[in-house]
């Protein structure tokens, strides 16, 4: 297994459509036989466990790590002191061919920026940081661009540029 | 770091008080300076992610692994084909001194069985499998026994028998 799973980051302003793009990319990648992980960068904190469940009681009692295992799903929730670097998260993910992050615009991974005319202002990233832009309006920048429906073409680019080392 | 984190399994019938015992053990272990993980064995399957959240959309779109990272919490949810052996789960947990499982009566780890008079019938485990029993009524078995409030004594036993290799 490749010890360094390739990573691409889908970045963009709030409501530009990061989740929308990711949920379109995943089925096309799966159709082509790839196993895919996603990593959501949540700067505010999140609640993933349900109050009243046993695992929620474990966490509330002070458990540093809470795992839950069933025949079709396995989950780990751990308390951390600081945000975990993306490369550390990558090391913890097994058995996938590609990791797609939602966010992580400041990390050094290949990026796809999503842009919508309704969300004003310039792109977040400099052209040289971007593998491509997904946009609903023509841009003046000299960057490979796709519409939100050109998923197959975008996955072709991901295959060519990112997944070429697939074993 | 110890590559094989010690594991104890809290087992017992439904409603015997497994979660109750675990949420009492954790604060006492934490007070003594141990870092603790819990593993819940859920034979039926669980929903840990919230409908409508970005990570829920990622999973629904087919992501094999979904991670979410914030400054104080890190979580991984992965789809599996079969139940994950406890030793595999142990390998995935880092930076704790003890793993307490809720369930896993058929695994070969040291066990504490919880028993309540109101939950009828004999113990689940044979005496030789058990480190101790936590019970609300006297038992005729020749097993080290504690009441549900004798948490300090039980943690003393866990320290002596299980955590002696702590580095």
């Amino acid at each position: 297994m490749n010890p360094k799973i390739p990573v691409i980051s889908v970045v963009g302003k709030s409501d530009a459509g990061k989740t929308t793009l990711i949920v379109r990319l995943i089925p096309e990648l799966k159709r082509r036989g790839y196993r895919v992980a996603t990593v959501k960068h949540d700067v505010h904190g999140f609640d993933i466990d349900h109050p009243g469940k046993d695992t929620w009681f474990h966490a509330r009692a002070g458990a540093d790590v809470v795992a839950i295992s069933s025949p079709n799903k396995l989950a780990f929730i751990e308390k951390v002191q600081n945000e975990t670097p993306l490369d550390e998260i990558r090391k913890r993910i097994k058995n996938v061919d590609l990791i797609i992050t939602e966010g992580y615009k400041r990390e050094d991974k290949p990026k796809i920026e999503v842009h919508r005319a309704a969300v004003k202002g310039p792109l977040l990233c400099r052209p040289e940081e971007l593998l491509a832009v997904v946009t609903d309006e023509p841009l003046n920048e000299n960057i490979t661009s796709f519409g939100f429906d050109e998923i197959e073409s975008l996955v072709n680019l991901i295959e060519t540029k990112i997944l070429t080392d697939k074993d």
Side-chain angles (χ1 to χ4, degrees), chain A:
Chain A
M1 197 182 66
N2 190 339
K4 283 224 174 183
I5 301 166
V7 178
I8 55 172
S9 292
V10 172
V11 302
K13 299 185 189 117
S14 272
D15 293 323
K18 298 189 286 295
T19 306
T20 301
L21 179 63
I22 288 170
V23 302
R24 292 181 187 181
L25 286 174
I26 293 168
E28 180 61 21
L29 286 158
K30 296 290 298 178
R31 197 181 65 76
R32 298 187 192 194
Y34 296 104
R35 286 179 54 88
V36 179
T38 64
V39 180
K40 165 83 182 173
H41 188 200
D42 191 316
V43 294
H44 303 296
F46 60 91
D47 282 312
I48 200 167
D49 210 356
H50 294 261
K53 295 280 190 184
D54 294 343
T55 46
W56 180 84
F57 285 116
H58 296 177
R60 196 181 59 161
D64 299 282
V65 178
V66 173
I68 178 166
S69 174
S70 81
N72 56 20
K73 221 184 286 185
L74 175 64
F76 298 90
I77 306 172
E78 59 188 78
K79 295 172 182 165
V80 296
Q81 296 297 316
N82 298 292
E83 199 169 281
T84 312
L86 184 51
D87 283 330
E88 288 299 312
I89 296 172
R90 166 156 71 173
K91 283 184 201 161
R92 303 275 299 276
I93 294 175
K94 312 287 181 199
N95 301 320
V96 302
D97 302 297
L98 177 67
I99 296 170
I100 302 176
T101 78
E102 180 168 338
Y104 290 105
K105 61 178 181 278
R106 290 191 184 85
E107 294 264 4
D108 62 350
K109 301 299 180 279
K111 293 178 186 62
I112 298 168
E113 179 159 347
V114 289
H115 170 82
R116 279 189 204 276
V119 181
K120 306 288 186 194
L123 293 178
L124 283 179
C125 297
R126 298 187 308 278
E128 61 271 24
E129 296 178 89
L130 292 172
L131 182 68
V133 175
V134 173
T135 176
D136 65 352
E137 65 172 354
L139 296 173
N140 287 324
E141 315 271 358
N142 182 22
I143 310 170
T144 307
S145 297
F146 300 92
F148 279 85
D149 292 323
E150 295 179 282
I151 298 299
E152 288 190 24
S153 303
L154 179 54
V155 172
N156 289 345
L157 181 74
I158 293 170
E159 274 196 310
T160 306
K161 299 269 190 182
I162 307 292
L163 293 167
T164 42
D165 293 335
K166 181 171 184 271
D167 50 9

